[in-house]
Amino acid sequence: VSGISLLPKGMAASKWVYDFGEGKADGRAEMKNLLGGKGANLAEMAAIGLPVPPGFTLTTEICTYFYEHGCTYPKELKTQVQQALALVESRTGRKFGDATNPLLVSVRSGARASMPGMMDTVLNLGLNDVTVESLAKQSGDRRFAFDSYRRFVQMYSDVVLNIELSHFEKLLDRAKEKRGVRLDNELLTEDLENLTKAYKARVELELGHELSLFPEWSNRCREFPEDPQEQLWGAIGAVFNSWMNQRAKTYRQLHDIPESWGTAVNVQAMVFGNMGNDCATGVAFTRNPSNGTNDFYGEFLVNAQGEDVVAGIRTPQELTIKARQSHGSELPSLEEVMPKVFQELMDVRKQLENHFLDMQDIEFTVEKGKLYMLQTRTGKRTAHAALQIAVDMANEGLISKGQAVMRLKPDLIDQLLHPTLDPKAKKNVIAKGLPASPGAASGKVVFTADEAVRRSQDGEKVLLVRIETSPDDIHGLHAAQGVLTTRGGMTSHAAVVARGMGRPCVAGAGDVHVDYGASQFTVGDQRTCVRAGEIVTIDGITGEVILGEVPTVAPQLSGSFGTIMAWADDFRTMKVRANAETPADARTAKDFGAEGIGLVRTEHMFFEGGRIVAMREMILAADEADRKAALAKLLVMQREDITELFRIMDGLPVTVRLLDPPLHEFIPHTEAEMASVAKAAGVPLERVRRRATELREANPMLGHRGCRLAITYPEICEMQARAIFEAAAEVGRTSQSGRTPVAEVMVPLVATLQELDLLKRVIEKTAQAVQTEQGVAFNYHIGTMIELPRAALQAGKLAGLAEFFSFGTNDLTQTTYGLSRDDAGSFLPEYKEKGIVEQDPFVSLDTEGVGELIEIAVERGRAARKGMKMGICGEHGGDPASIEFCEATGLDYVSCSPFRVPIARLAAAQAAM
Amino acid sequence: VSGISLLPKGMAASKWVYDFGEGKADGRAEMKNLLGGKGANLAEMAAIGLPVPPGFTLTTEICTYFYEHGCTYPKELKTQVQQALALVESRTGRKFGDATNPLLVSVRSGARASMPGMMDTVLNLGLNDVTVESLAKQSGDRRFAFDSYRRFVQMYSDVVLNIELSHFEKLLDRAKEKRGVRLDNELLTEDLENLTKAYKARVELELGHELSLFPEWSNRCREFPEDPQEQLWGAIGAVFNSWMNQRAKTYRQLHDIPESWGTAVNVQAMVFGNMGNDCATGVAFTRNPSNGTNDFYGEFLVNAQGEDVVAGIRTPQELTIKARQSHGSELPSLEEVMPKVFQELMDVRKQLENHFLDMQDIEFTVEKGKLYMLQTRTGKRTAHAALQIAVDMANEGLISKGQAVMRLKPDLIDQLLHPTLDPKAKKNVIAKGLPASPGAASGKVVFTADEAVRRSQDGEKVLLVRIETSPDDIHGLHAAQGVLTTRGGMTSHAAVVARGMGRPCVAGAGDVHVDYGASQFTVGDQRTCVRAGEIVTIDGITGEVILGEVPTVAPQLSGSFGTIMAWADDFRTMKVRANAETPADARTAKDFGAEGIGLVRTEHMFFEGGRIVAMREMILAADEADRKAALAKLLVMQREDITELFRIMDGLPVTVRLLDPPLHEFIPHTEAEMASVAKAAGVPLERVRRRATELREANPMLGHRGCRLAITYPEICEMQARAIFEAAAEVGRTSQSGRTPVAEVMVPLVATLQELDLLKRVIEKTAQAVQTEQGVAFNYHIGTMIELPRAALQAGKLAGLAEFFSFGTNDLTQTTYGLSRDDAGSFLPEYKEKGIVEQDPFVSLDTEGVGELIEIAVERGRAARKGMKMGICGEHGGDPASIEFCEATGLDYVSCSPFRVPIARLAAAQAAM
Ligand SMILES: [Mg+2]
Ligand SMILES: [Mg+2]
C-alpha cells in the first residue's frame, strides 16, 4: 500500500502530519502510538478502501515536542499542515475559507487509548460570517447553515476559548422565550442568525474581561476568530493543551497511561447527516457487546448529527429488522428505511471484522444517500461477550485459537466467577475502598468474627466490618458473605484470606470509621451512621460500599469458558497450582484446574475451634514435655487435614509449608480473652500475660517466625513433618486411583544455609522414622521458600540442600522494598499519584527490584542444581503481569488462590505465547 | 631447617605425627593450625636450639578425622606414634615401659588457642608397679617416686577414666588421719605406696560399677591400666574426646572458635623440678603483662612440680633481685639462688622475644641444675600493657610501626577510653546481659527517664533500668550514669544511644524482670529484688549486673595512645567520621580524630524540651498551614543546632540526614501523656488520640518513615534543607579559620529513583532560594542512603542523581535478613549457639549476604558515577571486622559513634595493611 511511512526513525521525525482519504493513507492501524487510536484507524479504513471523508492526522510526537519545548510546535509543522489541507481540498473539491465553496472540517483529539477529560471534538470548523452563506446556498437550507454556525461558535468557545457554556445557554433560553417556543428546533432561521451574533458578542466581552485580568496574555485573541486558519490552529492548540488538564491527568493516573504517550489531532472534512431525510447518522457494534452473539447491533437517526444520537432527545432507531422486532420498536430500521445503505454498511461490517479480526465499534454518517465511515475501534464488551466473541471468532476461523486466548484479559475471568451487582439496580454508594476480592455481597453488618458466626448459624447473611482483620478472625470471614475493612491494602490479611476463600472484600475504606464500642460505623462527615444489623452491600470489583441490599447476578459459566481454558492449557508451559488449606478450597482449586497445591499454610489449620486451644497449650507450655503433649494433640488434627488434601489432589504435588507466623498471633491480648485462654489451657493467667508480653514484637514481620520457630522448637517441625509423612503413608496405602501423594515439605523464611541444613535433618529423620514405623515408602521432597533478599543471594548454596524453591513474593517484596504491606496503605496511594511507583508492588511484582533478586536466585539455584523446580506462591502468583515475569524468568509453576486459578491458567498461556 | 614439612597437601595428609627435640623439629611456630599453639611453639623452641625435652605432637587433623569417622583414628597413626616414641627414646636414652630405665612422658592437649574446659595434662605417664621401682632407684628418692605414682594414678583416673576426684581425696584424708598428720608431704613413703594401691582398688570398683550399668561398654578397661601403651592411648583418646565435652563447646561458643579447628596432643619426655634442691620450676612473662614495662616478670619454686606453683600452697619466689626488692619479699630470687640458670633464662628470654617478636609467657623446669623450657606462648596482657609493649617494641626496633599497629586488637582501645571496674574489688554479680556499651557505672536505680533527670539534677548518680528504651527516653539516658535494659540486642535503641553518648550499657539482661508498677526489678528466681533507689553497678565490657557500688578505675590515656594513633593514621586510607548530633558529641568526636560527621540524625534534635512540643504541633497540625507554623519554630532550632555542628567541624564534611523515624515515635501512647500533649500543643485530646491511632503501625520499621515522610510532607524536607543551608551560609560568612562548611544532605530509606528525584528537586530549590536570599554561595552535596536491598540493586540509577552513597547497614541488615534488630534478641543467642550465625549480624557485618548487596551497589554506583564517594554510617562503622570489609570493598570512609572513632582509626589502618 502506498503512503505507509517506512522512513528510518531519524528522518521520520520530521514527518509530523499523515494524510488519509480516497483509498490511500500515510498511516496504518498499527501506528496507534504515532497517530492515536482514532487517526490510525481512520488511516486504515481509508487504506482498505472504505468510504472515509478525507483528512489528516497531527502525530503524538508533536504533543511530546510541544511539552518538551515550552508549548511550541516543530518548525516544519505549519507547512506540513498546509500541504495536508491542500490535499483534502483537492480530494473534496472545496477550499478552506473559500467564500463560495468552503471546506469545513472537524478537529478531534485522538490518544492511543480513548481518554475522557481531553478536548474531544470541534465540528463545522471553517464557518464564519462569509462561509455560512455559501453553506446555506449549497445545502439549500439556510436554517441548517445557521444552526451549524451557532453550534460551532458555542462548541469552539467552550472547548477552545474556555468560555462558560452557561452564557450561551442563557442566550438560547432568552431567544426561545422571546420567540415563545419550548424546543431549539422551533426557533426560526432569523432567531439563529441573531443568536449567533449574540454568542459572538458575548465571546468578545468575556475575552476582553480575561485580558483585563491577565494583561500578559495580550497576544491572545480578543474576539471570536473569523479567520478559518486561526480557528484551525486554535483548535489544534486546544487539543494539545488539554493533554495536561487536571481531568486528563487524573484519568491517566487511574488507568496507568503514561504522560509520555501524548495525543494526536485529527482534522477531517465534514460530512453532514443532518442535511435532510436522505441523511442519517449512527453508531454500531459489529457484534452484541453485551452477550457476544454474532448480531449487528446499533442505532441511528435520520437527519441528525452524531451528537444527537448520544444526546437522547430523539429515540434512535434499530439497524436491523430482527432487532426492531425483538425490541418491539415501532420505528423502522435502517434495513427498511435505506436498504441500499444498509447493505453497504453490512459489507463494511464484514470487511472491518475480516480486517481488524475483532468486534468493532463504528460511527457512520449518511450524507444525501452516501455512506461515510467516521470511526472504527475495537468495541468495548462485557466479560461474557469477550469470552463468547473470542471463542466464536476462533471457531469461525477468523482468528486462531491462540489469538482467542491472547485476546481475553485474564482479569475479566474474575467477573465470570463471582456474583456481580445487577447493573440495572440503584445504588446508594456511601464510601469507596480498594477492590480487594472480586464479587458482590450483601449482609447485616457485624463487627466481630464471633458475632458473624453466631448470626450466620441463625441463618442470617452477615457482612463482617473490621478496622483490620487478623488470623483470629478466620472463622468470622468464613461465616460472612463478605468483608469490609477500613485499613490495609490489596494484600492485607483480610484481602488475602477473602480472595483465598472466594469471598468479596473491600479493603482500606479509609472514610469509614468503625466504633467497636458503639457497634456502629460512620462515614466521612459522620452524618451517615450504620449500626450493627443494618444491611450493607459491597462490590469487590469496584470497591464500592453501598447502603442497603443490592440484587446480584449469579455467575454463569458458559461452555465457552471451558473451551477457552482448554485452549489456554494447550499453549501454557508453566503449571498452575493453588494455595489452599481446607478441603473446600482444595476441591474448588481442583475444579478450576489447579495442578497441585503450591502452598498449604499449616498455621491456618490451627485457628479453628479446639485446635487453637491445643495450639495455645503448646505455646504456653512450661517445658518441653508439656509442649510435646500439646503437640501430640495437634499432630492428630494436622495429619487428618493433610490426609484429606492428599486425597483430594490424588497424586498431584502438595507443598506444605511449616508453621510461619509469629506465635503471638495465636494469643489474644485483652485481659478478658487472656483469662479465658488461661482457663481453657489450664495454666495460670499470669503465665498467659507474661507469655503474651514475651512474644510481643516491635516488628513481627521481621521477628521470631518462619523457620526461626522451627529452629527454636524443633519439636514443632518434627510434629509437622510427621503429620505430613503419616498422611502420605496412609493415603498412599489406601489410594483408590493408584496414584500416590507427592509430599513437598517447605521451609519458610530461610536466611542462611545452616537453618535449612538443621531443619532438613529433622525432616529427613522424621521421614525415615515414619517409613520404618509404617513399613511403607512415599515420595517426598524438601525445599525452601525464597522470600528474603539474603536467601535469593544465597540461592546457589541453598540449592545444595533444597530440592525446590518457592518464591514467597509477599515477604520478598516487603523486605526488598523495606515496606510493610500492612502499613503501606497509608502512603502507597500517594506514591502512585506522584508517579513514584507505577503499581502497588504487592499487587503486581516489582520486576526491576524484587524481580532481579528472583532472577539471581533462579540463575544461582539452577547453576547448583540442574533443572531445579521453582515456583511462586505469593499473592503475585495470580497476577497476570507477574505471571508474565514468571514465565520469562523460567519458573516451573505459579500458585495462587483457588478462585484465581483460571486467571492464572489464561495468563500463563498468554505469557508463553 | 630440616624437618619442616613442605609436602603437598595430598601427601601431608598421611603425616599425622610431628617430632621435636635436640635442636630439631618437624614443625614450626607458624603451623599452629596443624600442631596447636603449644605444639607449634615447642617445635619452634626446639628448632631454634632452646632446651626442650624431646617429644612429638599428634596433629589437629587427627581430631577432625576422629569426629568425621565415628571416633576412630587414621590407620597410619599407630605406626607413626611408635616411630616418634622410638625417637624420644633414642633422644633421652630411655625406653617407654622399660623395667630398668623407663621413659616417662606428659600428655597435654594443645588447640590453636588455649582452651579451658578440655582435658589439660597427664604427667608421669608410663609409671606402673614395675617402672615406679626404677624411678625410685634412678632418682634415689623412693618417696618422690611413689608420690609421683600416686599423683599419676589420681590424675589419670580423673581426666582419662572419669572417676570422681572425691574418691581419692577421701582416701588421702583417711591416710593422713591414720598417720596423724595434716599435710600431704608429712606422709611417709609407705603411706604413699599403700595409698596408690588403695587408689587403684577404688578405680577397679568404679569401673566395674560402670560396666554393670552399661554392659555395651564391655570392651572398656576394668582396672587401672598397668600397660604404658594402654595408658598412652587412653590419654590421647581422652584429649580428643574432651574436644566435644560441654565446657569446651561452651567456651568455643563464647570465644567464636569453630568446632572444625580441632585440638592437637603433645607427648613429651618428663623432666622433674621436684627431684631435690637443685631442681625448680617456674613461670614468667618476658615483660610486665600489667603495665607493659620491659621487666622480666615471674615466679618459681625450688624442688617443685609445675602444678605446685599454680596451687599456691607454697609462696613462690621472685625471679629477679629487682622484683624481690620492689615487692619486699624475704625469699631469695632465682637470680640469687641459681645465678647460672638465671643467666641462661635471661638469654632464653631475649632469644624468645627476638624470635617471636612479642612478649612471651613461658614455663620452665630446672632438673638437677639443667634448664628445660616446657612452654612459650604469646603472653596475655591488659589493654594498657598491649599498647605500651607494641609502642616500646617498635621504638626498640624489634618490630616495625606497622607491626605495632597491626598488633593491637582495636576493641582493646575501648577499655582505654572508659572507666573500668577495679579488678581488685569484690563483685556480687546478680545477672548478666549483653556488653552493649563499654565502661562501668554505678548509680541508684531509677525506672523512668524523668526520674533519672530529676534525681540527677538533685546531684544523685542514677542508673536507668528499662525493659527497653525509646527515643522518648533520650533525656534520661543523658542524665544517667549508664543504662540497663532487659530486652533488645547489641544494636537496640538503648545500646546504640549509649554507645553514641559514651555511656556504659548492659542490654537484653533477660533474667531481670522489671515491674514498673512496683518500682522494682527481680532477678531470675525472684529471690533477689532491687527497689528504686538501691545502688547497682553495671559493667559494659562483661555485661555483668552487680549489686551495690563497685569502685571503678578512670581511663588514663598515655602518650603511647597518641603515638599508636598517629602511626595508624599513616597507614590508613579510609577516612573515619563520627555519627553525632549534639555539640558535645561532635567535640568528643573531633578530639578523637574524626574527620567529619558521617551522620547527623536530625530527629534526635527534636526530642528535647520545647522541641518535642513543636514537633508534636507539627504532627498534630490540622492542615498544611498549621504544619508550616510548627515547622517555622523547628526551623529556628534545627538551624542553630546545625550551625553549631558546622562551627565545630570547621570545614570538615557534615552529612545531615533528613527526618527518619516514623512520626508515632514522637507521640506518647498513654492516656495521661496524651492529655498533656494535647494541652501543650493546644489541640483537642481527641485529635491526639486519633492521630496516635492513625500513626500506629504493625511493622514501623517497614512503615511510613525515612524519605517516605518527606514525600508525604515535602514541607518537612524543605524546612530541614533550609535549616542546613542557612546554617552553611551563616557559618561560611563568619568562619574564623577561613574554612567553610561542607554540607552533605542525605535522603534516607530510598527505594526508588523517583523518590530521590522528587526530594532532590525540593532540596536543590531550597538551596538556590537560600543562596539568593543570603547572597552567598556554599558548598553542598545531595546523596542518598543505601539501606534497602532495592536501593542497592538500583544503585546504578540512583547514582545518576546522588552525589554520594552512605550505607545504612542497620536497616540493610534488617531487610536483607528479614530480621528486626529490636526483636532478634529473643532467638539470635540460640542461633549463635547452634552455629547458624557466626556473629550477630547487627554487630559484625554479614559480608556474605548484606555484603554482596553493598558490593553490587558500589560497583553499579561507581560505574554510573566515576569515583563516587561512598561510606558506611550504620553501627558496623565502628566494628573492626566490618571496617575490614569496607576497606576491601573500596569505601571512602566509615562513620561510627564518637567513642569508637579511635577504634575505627586503628581498624581502618589494619584493614589497609
Ligand atoms: Mg512469607
Ligand atoms: Mg536507617
Side-chain angles (χ1 to χ4, degrees), chain A residues 755 797 831 848 852 860, chain B residues 755 797 848 852 860:
Chain A
E755 289 167 329
K797 288 191 178 178
Y831 261 52
E848 221 177 317
E852 186 179 355
R860 295 184 181 178
Chain B
E755 290 167 328
K797 288 192 179 180
E848 222 177 317
E852 185 179 356
R860 296 184 182 179

Side-chain angles (χ1 to χ4, degrees), chain B residues 172-343:
Chain B
L172 180 62
D173 286 345
R174 213 171 305 154
K176 286 190 277 187
E177 217 171 282
K178 216 164 141 191
R179 178 60 59 198
V181 299
R182 214 173 47 86
L183 296 174
D184 293 6
N185 59 6
E186 291 169 317
L187 286 173
L188 304 184
T189 305
E190 56 180 287
D191 298 334
L192 294 170
E193 284 186 54
N194 288 333
L195 201 49
T196 309
K197 280 195 196 104
Y199 279 8
K200 291 170 80 175
R202 182 81 224 183
V203 168
E204 203 172 334
L205 198 70
E206 289 298 316
L207 292 176
H209 175 64
E210 217 162 62
L211 278 177
S212 72
L213 291 177
F214 306 100
E216 64 273 24
W217 287 357
S218 59
N219 57 341
R220 295 259 180 119
C221 61
R222 296 172 170 274
E223 51 188 34
F224 190 89
E226 282 285 298
D227 175 7
Q229 286 289 346
E230 197 183 334
Q231 291 173 0
L232 178 60
W233 287 103
I236 290 170
V239 172
F240 287 134
N241 274 308
S242 69
W243 179 250
M244 287 294 191
N245 74 28
Q246 199 48 53
R247 266 189 69 206
K249 280 185 179 172
T250 307
Y251 184 88
R252 281 200 293 276
Q253 220 152 48
L254 289 172
H255 295 78
D256 296 316
I257 299 173
E259 230 162 67
S260 62
W261 279 10
T263 183
V265 180
N266 298 293
V267 180
Q268 194 177 18
M270 285 295 302
V271 288
F272 295 96
N274 56 347
M275 271 211 280
N277 286 336
D278 53 354
C279 299
T281 192
V283 295
F285 290 90
T286 57
R287 303 192 182 211
N288 186 315
S290 174
N291 59 24
T293 57
N294 192 358
D295 296 314
F296 198 28
Y297 182 98
E299 48 198 25
F300 78 106
L301 280 173
V302 173
N303 195 13
Q305 262 194 332
E307 50 180 353
D308 300 329
V309 183
V310 187
I313 296 166
R314 286 165 57 191
T315 308
Q317 295 156 252
E318 304 287 341
L319 295 180
T320 62
I321 296 172
K322 183 178 164 192
R324 177 174 66 75
Q325 288 168 343
S326 96
H327 291 168
S329 166
E330 308 267 294
L331 298 166
S333 67
L334 185 69
E335 197 173 357
E336 290 153 305
V337 181
M338 299 180 178
K340 205 182 122 277
V341 167
F342 175 75
Q343 202 46 56

Side-chain angles (χ1 to χ4, degrees), chain A residues 501-801:
Chain A
M501 293 177 179
R503 292 278 185 292
C505 171
V506 171
D511 267 1
V512 174
H513 295 288
V514 170
D515 184 341
Y516 288 131
S519 275
Q520 63 180 41
F521 71 78
T522 56
V523 180
D525 54 11
Q526 308 205 13
R527 262 175 299 184
T528 308
C529 172
V530 177
R531 268 170 257 282
E534 291 188 63
I535 290 180
V536 161
T537 300
I538 56 169
D539 183 344
I541 292 170
T542 61
E544 287 170 341
V545 182
I546 303 154
L547 206 57
E549 182 151 10
V550 182
T552 56
V553 183
Q556 284 178 325
L557 291 184
S558 67
S560 297
F561 179 79
T563 305
I564 206 88
M565 282 294 137
W567 291 351
D569 290 348
D570 285 344
F571 293 105
R572 186 155 59 84
T573 56
M574 281 194 297
K575 298 269 179 197
V576 174
R577 299 197 196 177
N579 303 342
E581 294 81 39
T582 64
D585 282 352
R587 276 189 210 102
T588 305
K590 207 171 172 217
D591 289 348
F592 280 144
E595 293 156 305
I597 298 184
L599 178 61
V600 177
R601 287 157 292 209
T602 47
E603 60 272 14
H604 283 202
M605 300 171 166
F606 295 140
F607 278 107
E608 281 167 44
R611 294 164 177 219
I612 196 154
V613 175
M615 188 69 189
R616 285 168 175 167
E617 278 172 22
M618 194 275 287
I619 296 169
L620 297 168
D623 52 31
E624 201 178 314
D626 271 16
R627 189 156 51 243
K628 286 199 163 163
L631 282 168
K633 294 187 203 170
L634 289 170
L635 171 65
V636 179
M637 307 175 198
Q638 184 115 77
R639 185 178 54 217
E640 270 171 23
D641 290 328
I642 297 172
T643 300
E644 189 66 15
L645 293 181
F646 281 145
R647 285 236 166 81
I648 294 165
M649 294 322 283
D650 191 26
L652 293 171
V654 175
T655 311
V656 185
R657 181 178 69 182
L658 300 182
L659 189 67
D660 188 49
L663 297 183
H664 76 83
E665 289 197 4
F666 298 91
I667 303 278
H669 292 98
T670 67
E671 271 294 309
E673 285 171 318
M674 284 198 280
S676 94
V677 165
K679 208 174 153 197
V683 300
L685 172 57
E686 182 46 34
R687 194 190 304 160
V688 179
R689 262 201 224 111
R690 192 154 178 164
R691 196 84 177 104
T693 310
E694 275 171 16
L695 292 174
R696 207 181 48 213
E697 293 184 307
N699 297 283
M701 202 59 85
L702 306 177
H704 196 195
R705 53 171 288 234
C707 71
R708 295 161 191 170
L709 293 171
I711 297 281
T712 311
Y713 308 108
E715 55 275 18
I716 299 181
C717 171
E718 203 185 310
M719 177 279 282
Q720 295 201 288
R722 178 166 282 276
I724 296 164
F725 295 135
E726 288 183 354
E730 164 71 14
V731 176
R733 194 166 24 230
T734 59
S735 165
Q736 310 250 322
S737 65
R739 287 180 286 273
T740 52
V742 181
E744 300 180 331
V745 185
M746 183 156 75
V747 183
L749 214 74
V750 164
T752 71
L753 182 66
Q754 291 81 352
E755 289 167 329
L756 185 58
D757 182 33
L758 240 147
L759 295 177
K760 191 181 176 189
R761 282 169 210 259
V762 174
I763 298 164
E764 269 180 341
K765 205 173 138 194
T766 309
Q768 279 155 17
V770 173
Q771 293 193 340
T772 308
E773 288 161 21
Q774 312 244 341
V776 61
F778 42 76
N779 200 349
Y780 74 94
H781 306 284
I782 300 171
T784 183
M785 294 197 72
I786 302 288
E787 51 184 341
L788 298 175
R790 195 177 195 281
L793 295 168
Q794 295 278 299
K797 288 191 178 178
L798 293 174
L801 294 177

Side-chain angles (χ1 to χ4, degrees), chain A residues 79-97:
Chain A
T79 318
Q80 292 187 13
V81 166
Q82 294 314 328
Q83 287 167 350
L85 197 58
L87 192 57
V88 177
E89 289 172 337
S90 86
R91 280 171 173 165
T92 54
R94 298 172 176 276
K95 271 198 99 59
F96 193 54

